[in-house]
Amino acid sequence: MAMTAHLTWMQEKKLQNVLGGKQFTLLYKASVHGFSSSNLFERCCNQGPILIVIYGDHVIGAYIQENCWREKLASILLFAFQETEISLCKLGSCTPVNLFADQSRSKFLHSEFHIDPLKKQVVINLKIVKQLKLCEYYNISFQECDVFRCEDLLDRRKIKGVTELRESLLSAIRTYKPYRDLVHQIRILLLGPVGAGKSSFFNSVKSVFQGHVTHQALVGSDTTGITKQYRTYSIKDGKDGKPLPFMLCDSMRLDEKERMYMDDILCILKGHISDRYQFNSMKPITPGHGNYIDFPLLKDRIHCVAIVLDANSVEQLSGEMVAEIKRIRRGMIKCGVAHVVLLTHVDSMDLIMRGDLVDLYRCVPVKLKLEAVHRKLGFALSDILVVSNYTSEWSLDPIKDVLILSALRQMLWAADDFLEDLPLEEIGG
């Protein structure tokens, strides 16, 4: 019979955070296996640390921190939920069997907290009640009891899989060739508000291929931002020093008050602007400027644009910023340039842990962010990518590397679509 836990997603994430990044596997369900401590221990002993969750007017429970044996001392952590908040109380060490009422062992019951499966009651003394913020209930009735095995979200097997995927992505990008070899390097333009993570994404990509964290592009989050120039960055593979088959282009921030001229954006997309052009908010670039390329080749054009946004600020995007992004997107569509959204800072979102980064697109908070971007800006869900940039770390993390490389690969594929769709008269020009 299939079993489903009563824990809500929010409760599960709260417990995972409290317990230091655990995943839960349901071992016992009272309504299926019987309201009996002997049945519980039969299924749950020697399964590692276990989590007992009791559902009634309150959701409360106990975490047995060591491998669970009936009569072996273990450290016990009690918890109780108040809506989405959780209260904790250390019960100290006791034998798990003494947490459960049993007529043959009634004198051995834990005096502060114990569970009576037959009566479907939890008995708690006043001290524990207050610590768990349970409004002075001494006897709590319950309708269901679940017991889970607790394991690390990131065990050796998962880390090994992530490391292998990282190497596969590195190899795929190192050997990538643009569609029909029309250009030697794909140009990817990064656009976004101040603090969104444009320059940090470049630094992160370079770090992955250099094998250590680097900070070539200046990063800023003040109200003026750092990027005032148009920069094109070619990244070398740290393994043999050869340029990789893509370039990342950084531009002036998007700002609803100090808007980039549409002419400047179109000139960038069409390849008219060269490296180190200094943006002027008073006037757009025009032919004859020292940084203006009169007859750009296909290699000078932008082949993919990434709109970079802070995942934590998506819902707070102003109406003016939304209008600005939509205005720029219309220009990209007019030029036929492929474009995606890149959400950064996902690792700092509420309830997101390092272990979640392995399968980030399935996390409920991330799904909600993708839907918010789709709703506000109109991008297809498949065109919204998520990454965790290197910002304060001193060493590389294979999990972050996989997110960064996966996003980069998607951009290269999008650029291939752009090249494939080019009319014949533009391919040679």
Side-chain angles (χ1 to χ4, degrees):
M1 178 178 178
M3 296 189 297
T4 304
H6 274 54
L7 273 180
T8 66
W9 181 89
M10 181 68 74
Q11 290 167 344
E12 182 177 347
K13 296 307 294 183
K14 289 284 185 181
L15 284 167
Q16 285 179 339
N17 278 335
V18 165
L19 303 182
K22 302 292 183 182
Q23 62 181 344
F24 306 133
T25 303
L26 188 59
L27 298 174
Y28 163 88
K29 193 173 191 67
S31 60
V32 175
H33 302 112
F35 287 83
S36 160
S37 59
S38 60
N39 291 354
L40 183 153
F41 284 116
E42 183 179 336
R43 298 188 64 86
C44 302
C45 274
N46 197 28
Q47 293 283 344
I50 63 170
L51 181 73
I52 303 166
V53 186
I54 294 164
Y55 310 90
D57 292 336
H58 300 272
V59 177
I60 61 177
Y63 173 51
I64 299 177
Q65 299 179 40
E66 290 83 28
N67 187 21
C68 178
W69 291 96
R70 287 173 60 98
E71 300 193 34
K72 186 175 180 180
L73 281 175
S75 303
I76 311 292
L77 178 69
L78 303 180
F79 64 88
F81 280 99
Q82 297 84 35
E83 294 182 356
T84 58
E85 297 303 312
I86 188 169
S87 299
L88 304 173
C89 172
K90 289 185 178 180
L91 191 61
S93 295
C94 78
T95 55
V97 71
N98 289 342
L99 292 178
F100 293 89
D102 185 317
Q103 290 183 349
S104 64
R105 296 179 55 89
S106 58
K107 66 179 180 179
F108 299 108
L109 277 178
H110 199 287
S111 60
E112 296 179 319
F113 177 96
H114 66 263
I115 303 163
D116 189 331
L118 291 177
K119 293 182 180 179
K120 298 181 184 177
Q121 277 191 339
V122 181
V123 180
I124 312 175
N125 77 356
L126 181 59
K127 174 187 170 185
I128 303 295
V129 163
K130 288 182 177 179
Q131 289 188 54
L132 294 179
K133 302 176 183 177
L134 290 175
C135 304
E136 300 194 9
Y137 287 99
Y138 297 97
N139 298 320
I140 299 175
S141 297
F142 64 89
Q143 292 81 45
E144 185 62 280
C145 174
D146 291 339
V147 181
F148 303 85
R149 178 173 57 240
C150 302
E151 301 169 288
D152 290 337
L153 272 169
L154 289 173
D155 55 23
R156 290 183 180 179
R157 179 179 53 83
K158 285 188 177 180
I159 290 293
K160 183 175 183 289
V162 168
T163 302
E164 290 173 353
L165 178 56
R166 176 186 183 274
E167 293 306 311
S168 174
L169 288 166
L170 279 170
S171 176
I173 293 173
R174 283 169 174 152
T175 57
Y176 163 82
K177 291 185 177 181
Y179 177 75
R180 288 179 53 189
D181 288 327
L182 293 178
V183 294
H184 293 298
Q185 287 181 302
I186 292 296
R187 289 198 176 209
I188 300 169
L189 174 64
L190 306 176
L191 291 174
V194 61
K198 297 186 291 97
S199 300
S200 294
F201 179 67
F202 161 75
N203 288 333
S204 297
V205 172
K206 182 175 180 180
S207 296
V208 175
F209 285 98
Q210 292 295 308
H212 59 87
V213 177
T214 66
H215 299 287
Q216 179 181 346
L218 294 177
V219 176
S221 58
D222 58 44
T223 55
T224 59
I226 294 293
T227 310
K228 293 287 188 179
Q229 285 185 328
Y230 174 64
R231 293 301 320 273
T232 60
Y233 296 103
S234 181
I235 298 175
K236 292 183 178 180
D237 186 357
K239 189 174 181 180
D240 55 18
K242 292 181 180 178
L244 290 158
F246 63 88
M247 298 178 73
L248 296 179
C249 307
D250 200 2
S251 68
M252 184 177 172
R253 73 191 186 280
L254 297 183
D255 191 326
E256 61 263 36
K257 296 179 181 178
E258 189 180 359
R259 301 199 324 179
M260 284 182 70
Y261 280 98
M262 197 65 216
D263 287 349
D264 275 354
I265 294 172
L266 293 176
C267 283
I268 293 173
L269 297 179
K270 294 177 180 179
H272 288 293
I273 293 182
S274 61
D275 187 32
R276 298 186 185 276
Y277 166 66
Q278 187 76 30
F279 291 102
N280 186 338
S281 60
M282 303 302 293
K283 64 177 182 179
I285 193 171
T286 54
H289 189 283
N291 288 92
Y292 191 88
I293 301 172
D294 292 307
F295 303 104
L297 302 175
L298 181 57
K299 70 178 181 64
D300 301 313
R301 295 172 63 174
I302 296 299
H303 311 117
C304 178
V305 178
I307 303 293
V308 185
L309 299 173
D310 182 345
N312 297 282
S313 304
V314 168
E315 288 84 359
Q316 287 75 48
L317 284 175
S318 66
E320 293 82 0
M321 179 57 72
V322 170
E324 177 72 355
I325 293 173
K326 288 183 175 180
R327 177 180 77 99
I328 291 170
R329 190 181 182 209
R330 287 193 293 271
M332 293 186 290
I333 293 171
K334 185 177 179 180
C335 291
V337 178
H339 48 282
V340 298
V341 170
L342 183 68
L343 294 183
T344 63
H345 303 301
V346 292
D347 53 326
S348 61
M349 288 169 54
D350 286 343
L351 300 178
I352 295 293
M353 298 179 295
R354 181 169 176 261
D356 294 318
L357 300 181
V358 174
D359 201 4
L360 199 54
Y361 288 89
R362 296 182 64 181
C363 287
V364 173
V366 173
K367 286 183 177 180
L368 294 176
K369 295 294 182 182
L370 300 185
E371 290 168 3
V373 172
H374 170 69
R375 194 168 53 249
K376 277 179 171 282
L377 302 176
F379 283 79
L381 292 174
S382 58
D383 291 333
I384 307 170
L385 314 174
V386 292
V387 295
S388 173
N389 287 333
Y390 288 108
T391 53
S392 58
E393 296 84 354
W394 291 96
S395 58
L396 296 179
D397 180 345
I399 299 175
K400 286 195 171 193
D401 290 355
V402 165
L403 287 175
I404 293 162
L405 293 170
S406 297
L408 179 59
R409 183 177 61 174
Q410 289 294 125
M411 294 176 197
L412 296 176
W413 285 347
D416 277 343
D417 291 339
F418 163 73
L419 294 174
E420 186 176 1
D421 287 341
L422 283 174
L424 291 176
E425 59 269 22
E426 292 188 33
I427 290 177

XYZ file of all heavy atoms in Angstrom, residues 50-120:
573
model
N 15.923 8.799 13.336
C 14.534 8.835 12.875
C 13.827 10.093 13.379
O 14.216 10.683 14.394
C 13.736 7.574 13.292
C 13.634 7.474 14.821
C 14.344 6.319 12.687
C 12.667 6.393 15.285
N 12.785 10.451 12.652
C 11.958 11.607 12.991
C 10.534 11.106 13.203
O 9.937 10.503 12.298
C 11.999 12.628 11.858
C 11.193 13.910 12.062
C 11.897 14.806 13.085
C 11.029 14.663 10.732
N 9.987 11.329 14.404
C 8.613 10.938 14.733
C 7.748 12.194 14.645
O 8.039 13.202 15.311
C 8.532 10.341 16.141
C 9.473 9.134 16.257
C 7.100 9.950 16.490
C 9.725 8.695 17.693
N 6.710 12.154 13.830
C 5.824 13.311 13.666
C 4.404 12.893 13.996
O 3.886 11.909 13.460
C 5.879 13.878 12.234
C 5.063 15.172 12.143
C 7.316 14.132 11.803
N 3.770 13.670 14.883
C 2.424 13.369 15.368
C 1.489 14.492 14.928
O 1.796 15.676 15.092
C 2.427 13.236 16.905
C 3.268 12.005 17.294
C 1.023 13.115 17.458
C 3.669 11.981 18.724
N 0.332 14.108 14.373
C -0.604 15.079 13.812
C -1.917 15.057 14.589
O -2.586 14.027 14.681
C -0.901 14.757 12.346
C 0.322 14.539 11.488
C 0.865 13.266 11.345
C 0.940 15.599 10.826
C 1.982 13.051 10.558
C 2.062 15.391 10.036
C 2.572 14.112 9.907
O 3.679 13.893 9.132
N -2.279 16.187 15.146
C -3.558 16.363 15.821
C -3.936 17.819 15.717
O -3.816 18.436 14.651
N -4.384 18.408 16.832
C -4.610 19.860 16.842
C -3.288 20.588 16.660
O -3.261 21.740 16.225
C -5.258 20.283 18.163
C -6.679 19.745 18.283
O -7.284 19.469 17.227
O -7.167 19.596 19.411
N -2.188 19.929 17.029
C -0.840 20.454 16.825
C -0.032 19.428 16.043
O -0.336 18.238 16.072
C -0.141 20.726 18.169
C -0.845 21.723 19.032
N -0.607 23.071 18.945
C -1.784 21.551 19.989
C -1.374 23.705 19.829
N -2.098 22.801 20.475
N 0.985 19.903 15.360
C 1.963 18.998 14.744
C 3.205 19.049 15.613
O 3.878 20.079 15.716
C 2.298 19.416 13.298
C 3.375 18.495 12.711
C 1.049 19.380 12.429
N 3.476 17.954 16.292
C 4.605 17.890 17.217
C 5.376 16.604 16.934
O 4.924 15.743 16.177
C 4.145 17.918 18.699
C 3.255 16.708 18.989
C 3.420 19.213 19.004
C 2.822 16.613 20.444
N 6.552 16.486 17.554
C 7.301 15.262 17.335
C 8.639 15.247 18.028
O 8.961 16.122 18.841
N 9.402 14.213 17.688
C 10.712 14.007 18.309
C 11.699 13.536 17.257
O 11.350 12.731 16.376
C 10.602 12.977 19.436
N 12.919 14.048 17.357
C 14.009 13.629 16.479
C 15.005 12.834 17.303
O 15.587 13.348 18.266
C 14.680 14.848 15.857
C 15.917 14.552 15.053
C 15.919 13.582 14.053
C 17.108 15.259 15.287
C 17.056 13.322 13.305
C 18.252 15.008 14.543
C 18.216 14.036 13.552
O 19.352 13.769 12.809
N 15.163 11.564 16.979
C 16.145 10.702 17.650
C 17.433 10.779 16.835
O 17.493 10.300 15.695
C 15.622 9.258 17.760
C 14.325 9.261 18.591
C 16.670 8.353 18.382
C 13.666 7.899 18.708
N 18.457 11.407 17.407
C 19.596 11.875 16.626
C 20.597 10.773 16.270
O 21.372 10.930 15.332
C 20.297 13.000 17.381
C 19.387 14.200 17.627
C 20.057 15.308 18.401
O 21.224 15.617 18.189
N 19.325 15.927 19.323
N 20.602 9.666 16.999
C 21.504 8.565 16.684
C 20.701 7.422 16.064
O 19.471 7.452 16.038
C 22.232 8.067 17.935
C 23.260 9.058 18.483
C 22.653 10.110 19.368
O 21.615 9.836 19.996
O 23.188 11.229 19.423
N 21.428 6.422 15.560
C 20.765 5.234 15.030
C 19.811 4.673 16.095
O 20.201 4.449 17.234
C 21.813 4.183 14.651
C 21.205 2.995 13.927
O 20.114 3.082 13.371
N 21.916 1.878 13.928
N 18.558 4.494 15.707
C 17.518 4.173 16.691
C 17.508 2.682 17.050
O 17.341 1.819 16.181
C 16.152 4.584 16.135
S 14.789 4.193 17.244
N 17.698 2.424 18.354
C 17.498 1.087 18.923
C 16.540 1.242 20.097
O 16.558 2.248 20.803
C 18.816 0.487 19.409
C 19.773 0.143 18.307
C 20.791 0.896 17.836
C 19.771 -1.056 17.526
N 21.446 0.272 16.812
C 20.838 -0.949 16.595
C 18.982 -2.207 17.520
C 21.127 -1.944 15.674
C 19.275 -3.206 16.602
C 20.337 -3.072 15.689
N 15.721 0.236 20.320
C 14.693 0.325 21.373
C 15.266 0.749 22.714
O 14.749 1.649 23.373
C 13.977 -1.027 21.544
C 13.027 -1.386 20.423
C 12.508 -2.815 20.603
N 11.793 -2.975 21.868
C 10.467 -2.917 21.978
N 9.723 -2.709 20.912
N 9.889 -3.087 23.150
N 16.343 0.099 23.138
C 16.811 0.297 24.511
C 18.239 0.823 24.570
O 18.978 0.535 25.509
C 16.668 -1.016 25.297
C 15.232 -1.491 25.340
C 15.024 -2.596 26.362
O 15.693 -2.560 27.411
O 14.200 -3.471 26.105
N 18.613 1.613 23.578
C 19.936 2.226 23.574
C 19.777 3.733 23.715
O 18.985 4.348 23.013
C 20.676 1.894 22.277
C 22.114 2.388 22.258
C 22.818 1.923 20.984
C 24.259 2.418 20.953
N 24.954 1.969 19.709
N 20.527 4.315 24.659
C 20.411 5.754 24.899
C 20.649 6.551 23.620
O 21.560 6.249 22.833
C 21.412 6.205 25.963
C 21.046 5.934 27.433
C 22.208 6.339 28.337
C 19.783 6.696 27.816
N 19.818 7.565 23.436
C 19.951 8.438 22.258
C 19.552 9.847 22.651
O 18.764 10.060 23.588
C 19.069 7.938 21.115
N 20.116 10.823 21.934
C 19.756 12.233 22.175
C 18.433 12.527 21.490
O 18.233 12.182 20.321
C 20.845 13.161 21.625
O 22.098 12.868 22.207
N 17.523 13.197 22.209
C 16.169 13.448 21.706
C 15.942 14.952 21.607
O 16.187 15.695 22.565
C 15.086 12.842 22.624
C 15.412 11.379 22.964
C 13.709 12.990 21.990
C 15.334 10.425 21.824
N 15.471 15.392 20.446
C 15.095 16.796 20.238
C 13.601 16.842 19.940
O 13.123 16.194 19.002
C 15.875 17.399 19.065
C 15.538 18.852 18.702
C 16.023 19.800 19.803
C 16.168 19.231 17.360
N 12.844 17.576 20.765
C 11.403 17.730 20.550
C 11.137 18.986 19.731
O 11.898 19.954 19.776
C 10.670 17.825 21.887
C 10.862 16.661 22.863
C 10.072 16.918 24.141
C 10.456 15.338 22.239
N 10.023 18.969 18.999
C 9.651 20.156 18.212
C 8.133 20.271 18.165
O 7.397 19.295 18.372
C 10.215 20.076 16.790
C 9.674 18.937 15.976
C 8.505 19.071 15.225
C 10.322 17.710 15.961
C 7.998 18.015 14.497
C 9.819 16.645 15.221
C 8.653 16.789 14.488
N 7.661 21.472 17.886
C 6.231 21.723 17.696
C 6.067 22.870 16.715
O 6.841 23.839 16.739
C 5.556 22.055 19.028
N 5.080 22.755 15.840
C 4.804 23.807 14.867
C 3.699 24.727 15.383
O 2.712 24.281 15.958
C 4.353 23.204 13.529
C 5.488 22.699 12.690
C 5.801 21.345 12.679
C 6.238 23.568 11.910
C 6.847 20.864 11.899
C 7.287 23.099 11.137
C 7.597 21.758 11.127
N 3.896 26.025 15.163
C 2.837 27.017 15.322
C 2.663 27.664 13.951
O 3.443 28.554 13.569
C 3.195 28.084 16.359
C 3.392 27.540 17.772
C 4.796 27.001 18.000
O 5.751 27.528 17.471
N 4.896 25.951 18.794
N 1.702 27.153 13.189
C 1.517 27.531 11.789
C 2.813 27.242 11.032
O 3.197 26.098 10.893
C 1.079 28.992 11.690
C -0.306 29.222 12.304
C -0.771 30.636 12.162
O -0.013 31.496 11.665
O -1.926 30.903 12.555
N 3.547 28.291 10.582
C 4.772 28.032 9.820
C 6.032 28.168 10.669
O 7.138 27.985 10.162
C 4.883 29.000 8.626
O 4.867 30.353 9.109
C 3.734 28.778 7.649
N 5.884 28.489 11.942
C 7.042 28.604 12.835
C 7.235 27.305 13.598
O 6.301 26.525 13.797
C 6.862 29.776 13.800
C 6.774 31.130 13.107
C 7.988 31.419 12.230
O 9.124 31.222 12.715
O 7.797 31.822 11.071
N 8.471 27.091 14.056
C 8.774 25.847 14.763
C 9.493 26.166 16.074
O 10.369 27.032 16.121
C 9.635 24.913 13.879
C 9.799 23.540 14.521
C 10.974 25.538 13.535
C 10.418 22.502 13.587
N 9.088 25.477 17.142
C 9.732 25.620 18.454
C 10.457 24.320 18.775
O 9.998 23.228 18.417
C 8.686 25.914 19.538
O 8.015 27.124 19.264
N 11.591 24.452 19.474
C 12.430 23.297 19.768
C 12.665 23.168 21.266
O 12.629 24.153 22.006
C 13.777 23.433 19.055
C 13.747 23.616 17.535
C 15.144 23.899 17.014
C 13.151 22.394 16.869
N 12.922 21.936 21.686
C 13.238 21.679 23.089
C 14.088 20.415 23.172
O 13.692 19.363 22.659
C 11.945 21.515 23.890
S 12.209 20.955 25.584
N 15.254 20.510 23.799
C 16.102 19.340 23.981
C 15.597 18.530 25.166
O 15.470 19.054 26.269
C 17.554 19.763 24.207
C 18.234 20.325 22.974
C 19.698 20.622 23.235
C 20.395 21.137 21.979
N 21.829 21.439 22.235
N 15.310 17.259 24.902
C 14.839 16.385 25.964
C 16.004 15.695 26.665
O 15.854 15.145 27.745
C 13.879 15.340 25.372
C 13.072 14.495 26.350
C 12.163 15.389 27.196
C 12.242 13.461 25.607
N 17.181 15.743 26.055
C 18.322 15.046 26.621
C 18.374 13.615 26.122
O 17.755 13.253 25.132
N 19.130 12.793 26.825
C 19.295 11.390 26.407
C 18.310 10.482 27.127
O 18.076 10.635 28.325
C 20.726 10.929 26.699
O 21.653 11.653 25.916
N 17.726 9.570 26.354
C 16.881 8.535 26.951
C 16.779 7.373 25.966
O 17.215 7.498 24.814
C 15.488 9.078 27.309
S 14.365 9.248 25.925
N 16.255 6.258 26.398
C 16.063 5.138 25.480
C 14.765 5.377 24.709
O 13.736 5.711 25.315
C 15.987 3.816 26.246
O 14.961 3.907 27.239
C 17.312 3.507 26.913
N 14.755 5.228 23.396
C 13.544 5.481 22.605
C 12.315 4.729 23.097
O 11.195 5.259 23.039
C 13.957 5.020 21.203
C 15.428 5.273 21.152
C 15.912 4.934 22.532
N 12.486 3.494 23.606
C 11.320 2.724 24.050
C 10.585 3.423 25.183
O 9.365 3.267 25.350
C 11.744 1.298 24.470
C 12.527 1.320 25.781
C 10.535 0.369 24.561
N 11.290 4.240 25.975
C 10.653 4.928 27.100
C 9.875 6.165 26.676
O 9.276 6.840 27.515
C 11.695 5.305 28.152
C 12.235 4.091 28.890
O 11.621 3.026 28.861
N 13.377 4.236 29.528
N 9.875 6.458 25.385
C 9.039 7.550 24.876
C 7.619 7.068 24.598
O 6.733 7.871 24.313
C 9.624 8.123 23.575
C 10.960 8.877 23.671
C 11.393 9.327 22.283
C 10.835 10.081 24.596
N 7.398 5.755 24.656
C 6.101 5.197 24.282
C 5.483 4.446 25.453
O 6.139 3.634 26.121
C 6.255 4.254 23.087
C 6.649 4.966 21.822
C 7.986 5.167 21.515
C 5.671 5.439 20.956
C 8.350 5.830 20.367
C 6.037 6.106 19.801
C 7.368 6.304 19.492
N 4.182 4.728 25.679
C 3.449 4.057 26.756
C 3.271 2.585 26.418
O 2.914 2.229 25.292
C 2.091 4.716 26.954
N 3.530 1.744 27.406
C 3.396 0.288 27.237
C 3.092 -0.266 28.627
O 3.837 -0.026 29.583
C 4.698 -0.299 26.690
C 4.568 -1.786 26.371
O 3.981 -2.512 27.184
O 5.073 -2.203 25.310
N 1.974 -0.981 28.747
C 1.547 -1.444 30.077
C 2.632 -2.217 30.810
O 2.780 -2.126 32.017
C 0.295 -2.316 29.940
C -0.945 -1.527 29.542
C -2.177 -2.393 29.482
O -2.088 -3.609 29.544
N -3.343 -1.751 29.368
N 3.438 -2.956 30.068
C 4.457 -3.776 30.723
C 5.649 -2.947 31.185
O 6.482 -3.428 31.944
C 4.941 -4.861 29.764
O 5.581 -4.288 28.634
N 5.739 -1.672 30.735
C 6.894 -0.843 31.093
C 6.452 0.515 31.598
O 7.185 1.487 31.506
C 7.797 -0.634 29.868
C 8.443 -1.895 29.313
C 9.279 -1.576 28.088
N 10.276 -0.544 28.373
C 11.515 -0.784 28.824
N 11.888 -2.035 29.076
N 12.350 0.201 29.050
N 5.259 0.623 32.151
C 4.702 1.922 32.531
C 5.582 2.682 33.517
O 5.664 3.910 33.469
C 3.299 1.750 33.125
O 3.345 0.885 34.248
N 6.271 1.975 34.398
C 7.093 2.675 35.392
C 8.377 3.261 34.798
O 9.067 4.036 35.444
C 7.427 1.739 36.558
C 8.329 0.572 36.192
C 8.619 -0.270 37.421
C 9.536 -1.447 37.080
N 9.836 -2.260 38.279
N 8.698 2.852 33.563
C 9.908 3.353 32.930
C 9.638 4.532 31.984
O 10.547 5.059 31.362
C 10.594 2.236 32.127
C 11.018 1.076 32.971
C 10.346 -0.136 32.893
C 12.076 1.192 33.867
C 10.724 -1.204 33.669
C 12.455 0.120 34.648
C 11.787 -1.087 34.553
N 8.385 4.945 31.854
C 8.033 6.018 30.915
C 8.781 7.305 31.233
O 9.011 7.632 32.407
C 6.528 6.302 30.977
C 5.623 5.378 30.154
C 4.173 5.777 30.375
C 5.977 5.459 28.677
N 9.130 8.035 30.191
C 9.777 9.333 30.401
C 8.773 10.276 31.049
O 7.630 10.408 30.578
C 10.259 9.900 29.068
C 11.294 10.967 29.226
N 11.004 12.227 29.671
C 12.646 10.939 29.019
C 12.113 12.949 29.706
N 13.130 12.179 29.326
N 9.185 10.930 32.110
C 8.251 11.738 32.904
C 7.857 13.041 32.222
O 6.815 13.622 32.534
C 8.870 12.055 34.274
O 10.085 12.785 34.102
N 8.680 13.530 31.290
C 8.412 14.841 30.684
C 7.674 14.759 29.356
O 6.952 15.682 28.980
C 9.736 15.599 30.488
C 10.432 15.935 31.790
C 11.747 16.666 31.562
O 12.493 16.287 30.633
O 12.022 17.617 32.300
N 7.840 13.654 28.652
C 7.223 13.535 27.330
C 7.088 12.064 26.981
O 8.070 11.311 27.016
C 8.106 14.236 26.286
C 7.605 14.122 24.861
C 6.838 15.132 24.298
C 7.905 13.014 24.069
C 6.388 15.042 22.987
C 7.459 12.907 22.765
C 6.695 13.927 22.221
N 5.874 11.615 26.675
C 5.732 10.266 26.137
C 4.460 10.157 25.295
O 3.527 10.952 25.428
C 5.775 9.185 27.228
C 4.628 9.233 28.178
N 4.706 9.864 29.394
C 3.372 8.699 28.104
C 3.567 9.735 30.033
N 2.724 9.030 29.264
N 4.463 9.148 24.425
C 3.399 8.951 23.449
C 2.658 7.661 23.789
O 3.288 6.629 24.050
C 3.995 8.850 22.022
C 4.816 10.103 21.700
C 2.906 8.635 20.981
C 5.747 9.920 20.512
N 1.337 7.751 23.777
C 0.511 6.563 24.009
C -0.212 6.233 22.703
O -1.266 6.822 22.402
C -0.502 6.830 25.123
C -1.230 5.557 25.558
O -1.386 4.664 24.699
O -1.644 5.477 26.729
N 0.326 5.306 21.892
C -0.290 5.013 20.587
C -1.700 4.461 20.702
O -2.569 4.799 19.888
C 0.666 3.979 19.981
C 1.953 4.127 20.714
C 1.549 4.518 22.098
N -1.974 3.603 21.700
C -3.296 2.993 21.818
C -4.365 4.039 22.137
O -5.456 4.028 21.565
C -3.278 1.900 22.886
C -2.457 0.647 22.537
C -2.462 -0.328 23.704
C -3.030 -0.032 21.286
N -4.041 4.962 23.042
C -4.994 6.022 23.402
C -4.911 7.208 22.436
O -5.721 8.122 22.515
C -4.715 6.512 24.825
C -5.009 5.477 25.896
C -4.745 6.068 27.285
C -5.046 5.046 28.371
N -4.768 5.610 29.731
N -3.912 7.171 21.560
C -3.679 8.273 20.607
C -3.548 9.595 21.362
O -4.212 10.586 21.059
C -4.801 8.354 19.571
C -4.930 7.101 18.711
C -6.030 7.246 17.681
C -6.206 5.942 16.903
N -7.306 6.021 15.934
